mmCIF file with all atom_site columns, all heavy atoms in Angstrom:
data_model
loop_
_atom_site.group_PDB
_atom_site.id
_atom_site.type_symbol
_atom_site.label_atom_id
_atom_site.label_alt_id
_atom_site.label_comp_id
_atom_site.label_asym_id
_atom_site.label_entity_id
_atom_site.label_seq_id
_atom_site.pdbx_PDB_ins_code
_atom_site.Cartn_x
_atom_site.Cartn_y
_atom_site.Cartn_z
_atom_site.occupancy
_atom_site.B_iso_or_equiv
_atom_site.pdbx_formal_charge
_atom_site.auth_seq_id
_atom_site.auth_comp_id
_atom_site.auth_asym_id
_atom_site.auth_atom_id
_atom_site.pdbx_PDB_model_num
ATOM 1   N N   . CYS A 1 569 ? -19.981 -21.274 0.919   1.00 0.00 ? 688 CYS A N   1
ATOM 2   C CA  . CYS A 1 569 ? -19.267 -20.355 1.807   1.00 0.00 ? 688 CYS A CA  1
ATOM 3   C C   . CYS A 1 569 ? -17.953 -20.990 2.237   1.00 0.00 ? 688 CYS A C   1
ATOM 4   O O   . CYS A 1 569 ? -16.969 -20.257 2.525   1.00 0.00 ? 688 CYS A O   1
ATOM 5   C CB  . CYS A 1 569 ? -20.151 -20.134 3.078   1.00 0.00 ? 688 CYS A CB  1
ATOM 6   S SG  . CYS A 1 569 ? -21.528 -19.105 2.865   1.00 0.00 ? 688 CYS A SG  1
ATOM 7   N N   . ARG A 1 570 ? -17.794 -22.348 2.210   1.00 0.00 ? 689 ARG A N   1
ATOM 8   C CA  . ARG A 1 570 ? -16.501 -22.939 2.526   1.00 0.00 ? 689 ARG A CA  1
ATOM 9   C C   . ARG A 1 570 ? -15.650 -23.272 1.413   1.00 0.00 ? 689 ARG A C   1
ATOM 10  O O   . ARG A 1 570 ? -14.424 -23.116 1.530   1.00 0.00 ? 689 ARG A O   1
ATOM 11  C CB  . ARG A 1 570 ? -16.913 -24.312 3.426   1.00 0.00 ? 689 ARG A CB  1
ATOM 12  C CG  . ARG A 1 570 ? -17.564 -24.139 4.678   1.00 0.00 ? 689 ARG A CG  1
ATOM 13  C CD  . ARG A 1 570 ? -17.713 -25.428 5.316   1.00 0.00 ? 689 ARG A CD  1
ATOM 14  N NE  . ARG A 1 570 ? -18.749 -25.448 6.408   1.00 0.00 ? 689 ARG A NE  1
ATOM 15  C CZ  . ARG A 1 570 ? -19.100 -26.505 7.006   1.00 0.00 ? 689 ARG A CZ  1
ATOM 16  N NH1 . ARG A 1 570 ? -18.540 -27.708 6.851   1.00 0.00 ? 689 ARG A NH1 1
ATOM 17  N NH2 . ARG A 1 570 ? -20.146 -26.480 7.919   1.00 0.00 ? 689 ARG A NH2 1
ATOM 18  N N   . HIS A 1 571 ? -16.299 -23.728 0.346   1.00 0.00 ? 690 HIS A N   1
ATOM 19  C CA  . HIS A 1 571 ? -15.484 -24.293 -0.819  1.00 0.00 ? 690 HIS A CA  1
ATOM 20  C C   . HIS A 1 571 ? -16.048 -23.883 -2.157  1.00 0.00 ? 690 HIS A C   1
ATOM 21  O O   . HIS A 1 571 ? -16.340 -24.719 -2.961  1.00 0.00 ? 690 HIS A O   1
ATOM 22  C CB  . HIS A 1 571 ? -15.411 -25.837 -0.756  1.00 0.00 ? 690 HIS A CB  1
ATOM 23  C CG  . HIS A 1 571 ? -14.914 -26.440 0.501   1.00 0.00 ? 690 HIS A CG  1
ATOM 24  N ND1 . HIS A 1 571 ? -13.532 -26.309 0.853   1.00 0.00 ? 690 HIS A ND1 1
ATOM 25  C CD2 . HIS A 1 571 ? -15.500 -27.089 1.562   1.00 0.00 ? 690 HIS A CD2 1
ATOM 26  C CE1 . HIS A 1 571 ? -13.346 -26.878 2.068   1.00 0.00 ? 690 HIS A CE1 1
ATOM 27  N NE2 . HIS A 1 571 ? -14.486 -27.287 2.454   1.00 0.00 ? 690 HIS A NE2 1
ATOM 28  N N   . PRO A 1 572 ? -16.120 -22.629 -2.325  1.00 0.00 ? 691 PRO A N   1
ATOM 29  C CA  . PRO A 1 572 ? -16.732 -22.090 -3.671  1.00 0.00 ? 691 PRO A CA  1
ATOM 30  C C   . PRO A 1 572 ? -15.911 -22.576 -4.846  1.00 0.00 ? 691 PRO A C   1
ATOM 31  O O   . PRO A 1 572 ? -16.493 -22.616 -6.015  1.00 0.00 ? 691 PRO A O   1
ATOM 32  C CB  . PRO A 1 572 ? -16.678 -20.556 -3.525  1.00 0.00 ? 691 PRO A CB  1
ATOM 33  C CG  . PRO A 1 572 ? -15.554 -20.371 -2.506  1.00 0.00 ? 691 PRO A CG  1
ATOM 34  C CD  . PRO A 1 572 ? -15.598 -21.395 -1.583  1.00 0.00 ? 691 PRO A CD  1
ATOM 35  N N   . GLU A 1 573 ? -14.638 -22.782 -4.605  1.00 0.00 ? 692 GLU A N   1
ATOM 36  C CA  . GLU A 1 573 ? -13.753 -23.179 -5.784  1.00 0.00 ? 692 GLU A CA  1
ATOM 37  C C   . GLU A 1 573 ? -14.203 -24.447 -6.333  1.00 0.00 ? 692 GLU A C   1
ATOM 38  O O   . GLU A 1 573 ? -14.110 -24.730 -7.567  1.00 0.00 ? 692 GLU A O   1
ATOM 39  C CB  . GLU A 1 573 ? -12.307 -23.315 -5.324  1.00 0.00 ? 692 GLU A CB  1
ATOM 40  C CG  . GLU A 1 573 ? -11.984 -24.451 -4.438  1.00 0.00 ? 692 GLU A CG  1
ATOM 41  C CD  . GLU A 1 573 ? -12.329 -24.234 -2.863  1.00 0.00 ? 692 GLU A CD  1
ATOM 42  O OE1 . GLU A 1 573 ? -12.885 -23.054 -2.553  1.00 0.00 ? 692 GLU A OE1 1
ATOM 43  O OE2 . GLU A 1 573 ? -12.029 -25.063 -2.047  1.00 0.00 ? 692 GLU A OE2 1
ATOM 44  N N   . ARG A 1 574 ? -14.889 -25.345 -5.618  1.00 0.00 ? 693 ARG A N   1
ATOM 45  C CA  . ARG A 1 574 ? -15.318 -26.702 -6.041  1.00 0.00 ? 693 ARG A CA  1
ATOM 46  C C   . ARG A 1 574 ? -16.500 -26.380 -7.080  1.00 0.00 ? 693 ARG A C   1
ATOM 47  O O   . ARG A 1 574 ? -16.503 -26.960 -8.208  1.00 0.00 ? 693 ARG A O   1
ATOM 48  C CB  . ARG A 1 574 ? -15.822 -27.558 -4.964  1.00 0.00 ? 693 ARG A CB  1
ATOM 49  C CG  . ARG A 1 574 ? -14.725 -27.975 -4.019  1.00 0.00 ? 693 ARG A CG  1
ATOM 50  C CD  . ARG A 1 574 ? -15.173 -28.890 -2.917  1.00 0.00 ? 693 ARG A CD  1
ATOM 51  N NE  . ARG A 1 574 ? -14.271 -29.127 -1.884  1.00 0.00 ? 693 ARG A NE  1
ATOM 52  C CZ  . ARG A 1 574 ? -14.477 -29.782 -0.720  1.00 0.00 ? 693 ARG A CZ  1
ATOM 53  N NH1 . ARG A 1 574 ? -15.553 -30.331 -0.466  1.00 0.00 ? 693 ARG A NH1 1
ATOM 54  N NH2 . ARG A 1 574 ? -13.441 -29.896 0.129   1.00 0.00 ? 693 ARG A NH2 1
ATOM 55  N N   . ALA A 1 575 ? -17.427 -25.535 -6.665  1.00 0.00 ? 694 ALA A N   1
ATOM 56  C CA  . ALA A 1 575 ? -18.550 -25.284 -7.554  1.00 0.00 ? 694 ALA A CA  1
ATOM 57  C C   . ALA A 1 575 ? -18.126 -24.609 -8.861  1.00 0.00 ? 694 ALA A C   1
ATOM 58  O O   . ALA A 1 575 ? -18.676 -24.963 -9.924  1.00 0.00 ? 694 ALA A O   1
ATOM 59  C CB  . ALA A 1 575 ? -19.632 -24.472 -6.806  1.00 0.00 ? 694 ALA A CB  1
ATOM 60  N N   . ARG A 1 576 ? -17.226 -23.617 -8.768  1.00 0.00 ? 695 ARG A N   1
ATOM 61  C CA  . ARG A 1 576 ? -16.775 -22.850 -9.873  1.00 0.00 ? 695 ARG A CA  1
ATOM 62  C C   . ARG A 1 576 ? -16.073 -23.880 -10.828 1.00 0.00 ? 695 ARG A C   1
ATOM 63  O O   . ARG A 1 576 ? -16.311 -23.768 -12.091 1.00 0.00 ? 695 ARG A O   1
ATOM 64  C CB  . ARG A 1 576 ? -15.840 -21.758 -9.444  1.00 0.00 ? 695 ARG A CB  1
ATOM 65  C CG  . ARG A 1 576 ? -15.321 -20.918 -10.581 1.00 0.00 ? 695 ARG A CG  1
ATOM 66  C CD  . ARG A 1 576 ? -14.329 -19.950 -10.208 1.00 0.00 ? 695 ARG A CD  1
ATOM 67  N NE  . ARG A 1 576 ? -13.859 -19.002 -11.274 1.00 0.00 ? 695 ARG A NE  1
ATOM 68  C CZ  . ARG A 1 576 ? -12.679 -18.458 -11.369 1.00 0.00 ? 695 ARG A CZ  1
ATOM 69  N NH1 . ARG A 1 576 ? -11.774 -18.731 -10.530 1.00 0.00 ? 695 ARG A NH1 1
ATOM 70  N NH2 . ARG A 1 576 ? -12.501 -17.697 -12.420 1.00 0.00 ? 695 ARG A NH2 1
ATOM 71  N N   . ALA A 1 577 ? -15.161 -24.750 -10.337 1.00 0.00 ? 696 ALA A N   1
ATOM 72  C CA  . ALA A 1 577 ? -14.415 -25.564 -11.241 1.00 0.00 ? 696 ALA A CA  1
ATOM 73  C C   . ALA A 1 577 ? -15.391 -26.638 -11.884 1.00 0.00 ? 696 ALA A C   1
ATOM 74  O O   . ALA A 1 577 ? -15.221 -26.813 -13.031 1.00 0.00 ? 696 ALA A O   1
ATOM 75  C CB  . ALA A 1 577 ? -13.364 -26.364 -10.301 1.00 0.00 ? 696 ALA A CB  1
ATOM 76  N N   . VAL A 1 578 ? -16.229 -27.174 -11.133 1.00 0.00 ? 697 VAL A N   1
ATOM 77  C CA  . VAL A 1 578 ? -17.160 -28.205 -11.690 1.00 0.00 ? 697 VAL A CA  1
ATOM 78  C C   . VAL A 1 578 ? -18.048 -27.609 -12.661 1.00 0.00 ? 697 VAL A C   1
ATOM 79  O O   . VAL A 1 578 ? -18.360 -28.161 -13.847 1.00 0.00 ? 697 VAL A O   1
ATOM 80  C CB  . VAL A 1 578 ? -17.937 -28.947 -10.615 1.00 0.00 ? 697 VAL A CB  1
ATOM 81  C CG1 . VAL A 1 578 ? -18.975 -29.909 -11.222 1.00 0.00 ? 697 VAL A CG1 1
ATOM 82  C CG2 . VAL A 1 578 ? -16.948 -29.757 -9.758  1.00 0.00 ? 697 VAL A CG2 1
ATOM 83  N N   . GLN A 1 579 ? -18.693 -26.454 -12.422 1.00 0.00 ? 698 GLN A N   1
ATOM 84  C CA  . GLN A 1 579 ? -19.544 -25.707 -13.349 1.00 0.00 ? 698 GLN A CA  1
ATOM 85  C C   . GLN A 1 579 ? -18.848 -25.342 -14.655 1.00 0.00 ? 698 GLN A C   1
ATOM 86  O O   . GLN A 1 579 ? -19.450 -25.552 -15.757 1.00 0.00 ? 698 GLN A O   1
ATOM 87  C CB  . GLN A 1 579 ? -20.135 -24.443 -12.712 1.00 0.00 ? 698 GLN A CB  1
ATOM 88  C CG  . GLN A 1 579 ? -21.189 -23.787 -13.603 1.00 0.00 ? 698 GLN A CG  1
ATOM 89  C CD  . GLN A 1 579 ? -22.523 -24.413 -13.552 1.00 0.00 ? 698 GLN A CD  1
ATOM 90  O OE1 . GLN A 1 579 ? -22.621 -25.683 -13.859 1.00 0.00 ? 698 GLN A OE1 1
ATOM 91  N NE2 . GLN A 1 579 ? -23.574 -23.720 -13.194 1.00 0.00 ? 698 GLN A NE2 1
ATOM 92  N N   . SER A 1 580 ? -17.683 -24.947 -14.584 1.00 0.00 ? 699 SER A N   1
ATOM 93  C CA  . SER A 1 580 ? -16.892 -24.584 -15.768 1.00 0.00 ? 699 SER A CA  1
ATOM 94  C C   . SER A 1 580 ? -16.554 -25.843 -16.597 1.00 0.00 ? 699 SER A C   1
ATOM 95  O O   . SER A 1 580 ? -16.691 -25.783 -17.816 1.00 0.00 ? 699 SER A O   1
ATOM 96  C CB  . SER A 1 580 ? -15.528 -23.970 -15.411 1.00 0.00 ? 699 SER A CB  1
ATOM 97  O OG  . SER A 1 580 ? -15.747 -22.685 -14.737 1.00 0.00 ? 699 SER A OG  1
ATOM 98  N N   . ALA A 1 581 ? -16.260 -26.926 -15.922 1.00 0.00 ? 700 ALA A N   1
ATOM 99  C CA  . ALA A 1 581 ? -16.098 -28.211 -16.687 1.00 0.00 ? 700 ALA A CA  1
ATOM 100 C C   . ALA A 1 581 ? -17.406 -28.704 -17.317 1.00 0.00 ? 700 ALA A C   1
ATOM 101 O O   . ALA A 1 581 ? -17.374 -29.186 -18.376 1.00 0.00 ? 700 ALA A O   1
ATOM 102 C CB  . ALA A 1 581 ? -15.500 -29.302 -15.695 1.00 0.00 ? 700 ALA A CB  1
#
Side-chain angles (χ1 to χ4, degrees):
C688 289
R689 297 183 198 175
H690 304 289
E692 70 279 2
R693 297 180 189 175
R695 185 190 185 206
V697 171
Q698 184 77 305
S699 295

